[in-house]
Amino acid sequence: MEVTEIDYEIFSLPKKEVKILDKYMFKESQLRIKIRWKVIKHKCPKCGWYHTKRYWKWYETVIVNHMFLSNYMTVQLEIEKRRFICKDCEKNKWWKDQFWNKIKWSTFSEVFSFINYNFSYSNTFKSFILREWEFSSISELSRKFKVSQSKIYTVINETTIEELEVEKIEYMLSLKEIQIWIDEFSFSWRDYLVQINDLKTKKIIWILRAKDNKLLESWLNSLPIEVINKISWIGSDMNAGFKNVIQKHIAKRTGKSIEEVKQIVKSSVDHYHLKQLLHKLIMEVYSLSNWMIKAGHYDKTIKDLATLETKNFNKYRTKKLENNVLNFKEYKPNNSDYTPITLGYFLSKKYNNLLLMKSENLTKKQEFRLNQILCEFDPRWYLSEAYLWKELLNEAIETKDISLIDKLIKDFKTSVQYKIKACWKTIEKWKDEIKNFFDTWITNAFTEGKNTKAKLFKRMAYWYTKKDNFIKRLLISL
């Protein structure tokens, strides 16, 4: 085929460095381009001197994978490389062969800037592989590029995480503002990875190898000060460690106090994790109530209507439960839906979902059943308290009213149950972050979606044995 000047641009070859000698079809789906290095002098990699003396007069031919065209057509480079002699190399001086009585010198081959060190693939081929890896599996890449799967794995293994880190830093420098959200996900059992996302552009900025504050601190140290100044938001799943590390690092790099950083760089939590906190409290109190009943407290409490009014559980609820209670042992109101609940059926935890549902979504039969549970199987009122405070939190989230959170914290303090006390301490600690969430309504739904995609990549690859390769896949694909 005829060689033209535009071939250098089509096949991504440096015109100043190489010369295209010929191009021909080797197979139906393979195009080969014959090239040769233009430079005469070459630098010895050991001593650094330039030499022109050839080791032999002929050229050594090497076939290198280069790029991919449409319709599953690949392009290969047929490189004619030379070998040179270095007489000035101090590390490998000439020596006399004992057997052949000949003088041997240190030799080296010429190096191409766009070819890897062992002449197996070009940088263009590497970029094609990494770009297509986002959408294809290893076997699909092998069929598309007409190479073995081991060749694909070689390209991936020789791609360092430091190269991807440089690309991510360049990407962050191009942004005007960075909104960080941090979340962890499992790589294998309790071996966690931590992903750091930018919520504004919805891309992964970086992935930490473990759930460790020191790794986060070292990553922040590698960022330039221009990137640190662009951070305007910090979101986490109620993990105070990551938030404090970022705030302290920003204060250290910018020379500001922690209070000044908190005013400039705001932080928030997600309402899903707030609900998860209350749901966990209900399940813990539910288990504790079952234990108290098994321990013999079942016959020691009598609930009547006056007691319910004095406890004032329905203070913040618009929808009250049925409170026509005479005695919890003989709780038989005039209702056709009433069916007695046996003690063994209640202890089997068949009513977990009923306690976690919103009161607005309950049917009449479910409302009656819930009222029956809270009246008959709650010896010390702890389960009723946890359920009604869960309803108050849902109302605060729906109305975005921070005053209801203040009421919730105040009511938590009056409880004598140690689980409930621990819960109000957590909510009081994250009160400012909850207020910021009510003002902006920024959620971590995008981050959770990235976690789902990461798990999907693991299933597609039938698991990853090397954590670095999994991190590379996520940094390239997400």
Side-chain angles (χ1 to χ4, degrees), residues 130 133-135 450 457 472-478:
L130 296 180
W133 194 27
E134 179 180 355
F135 311 103
K450 291 293 184 183
F457 286 149
K472 294 173 191 175
R473 177 71 186 271
L474 297 182
L475 291 175
I476 292 171
S477 303
L478 302 180

Side-chain angles (χ1 to χ4, degrees), residues 193-416:
L193 296 176
V194 179
Q195 61 166 314
I196 305 173
N197 302 299
D198 179 26
L199 293 181
K200 203 161 188 179
T201 58
K202 297 188 177 181
K203 287 188 177 181
I204 283 185
I205 298 176
W206 194 243
I207 293 179
L208 302 179
R209 291 180 55 85
K211 189 178 177 181
D212 190 2
N213 293 341
K214 293 182 180 179
L215 288 177
L216 178 61
E217 181 69 26
S218 63
W219 175 74
L220 292 171
N221 288 326
S222 65
L223 300 179
I225 188 63
E226 293 83 3
V227 176
I228 298 297
N229 292 329
K230 293 180 181 180
I231 299 176
S232 62
W233 193 270
I234 304 172
S236 63
D237 53 349
M238 303 189 78
N239 190 327
F242 291 150
K243 181 194 70 171
N244 294 336
V245 167
I246 296 176
Q247 288 178 346
K248 290 179 181 178
H249 184 83
I250 294 174
K252 180 180 177 181
R253 295 281 292 274
T254 58
K256 299 178 182 177
S257 63
I258 297 294
E259 298 299 327
E260 292 176 347
V261 170
K262 287 182 179 180
Q263 294 178 0
I264 299 172
V265 183
K266 295 185 178 181
S267 58
S268 69
V269 295
D270 191 71
H271 64 287
Y272 296 112
H273 294 93
L274 288 174
K275 292 181 179 180
Q276 183 182 13
L277 180 67
L278 267 295
H279 288 178
K280 182 181 178 182
L281 174 65
I282 288 177
M283 290 297 99
E284 290 176 347
V285 175
Y286 186 31
S287 300
L288 181 64
S289 178
N290 292 350
W291 175 84
M292 293 176 67
I293 292 174
K294 291 178 181 179
H297 296 277
Y298 181 73
D299 297 326
K300 295 181 180 180
T301 304
I302 296 177
K303 299 181 180 180
D304 52 18
L305 186 60
T307 310
L308 286 174
E309 289 178 351
T310 54
K311 294 294 288 187
N312 200 10
F313 286 140
N314 295 310
K315 183 178 180 181
Y316 305 113
R317 299 195 63 216
T318 56
K319 199 172 190 178
K320 295 185 179 181
L321 302 173
E322 298 181 20
N323 293 324
N324 48 347
V325 184
L326 298 176
N327 189 306
F328 85 105
K329 289 184 179 180
E330 301 174 357
Y331 178 59
K332 296 180 180 179
N334 299 324
N335 194 313
S336 59
D337 294 331
Y338 175 79
T339 53
I341 302 176
T342 62
L343 186 61
Y345 191 79
F346 175 77
L347 296 178
S348 64
K349 296 184 179 180
K350 299 291 185 179
Y351 298 104
N352 291 9
N353 295 334
L354 192 63
L355 292 168
L356 299 180
M357 290 176 63
K358 285 186 178 181
S359 59
E360 294 82 2
N361 300 331
L362 296 174
T363 62
K364 290 185 178 180
K365 186 174 182 179
Q366 288 175 336
E367 288 180 8
F368 184 85
R369 182 67 69 182
L370 178 63
N371 184 59
Q372 185 179 358
I373 291 171
L374 297 180
C375 290
E376 293 188 13
F377 298 97
D378 190 10
R380 291 293 181 268
W381 306 98
Y382 300 147
L383 188 59
S384 302
E385 292 181 23
Y387 177 80
L388 295 173
W389 284 332
K390 185 260 295 184
E391 291 297 311
L392 178 61
L393 179 65
N394 288 331
E395 183 181 352
I397 292 174
E398 292 175 0
T399 59
K400 301 179 184 179
D401 190 359
I402 195 65
S403 62
L404 294 179
I405 299 295
D406 295 331
K407 292 179 181 179
L408 183 65
I409 296 173
K410 185 178 179 181
D411 287 349
F412 272 155
K413 292 181 179 179
T414 60
S415 178
V416 297

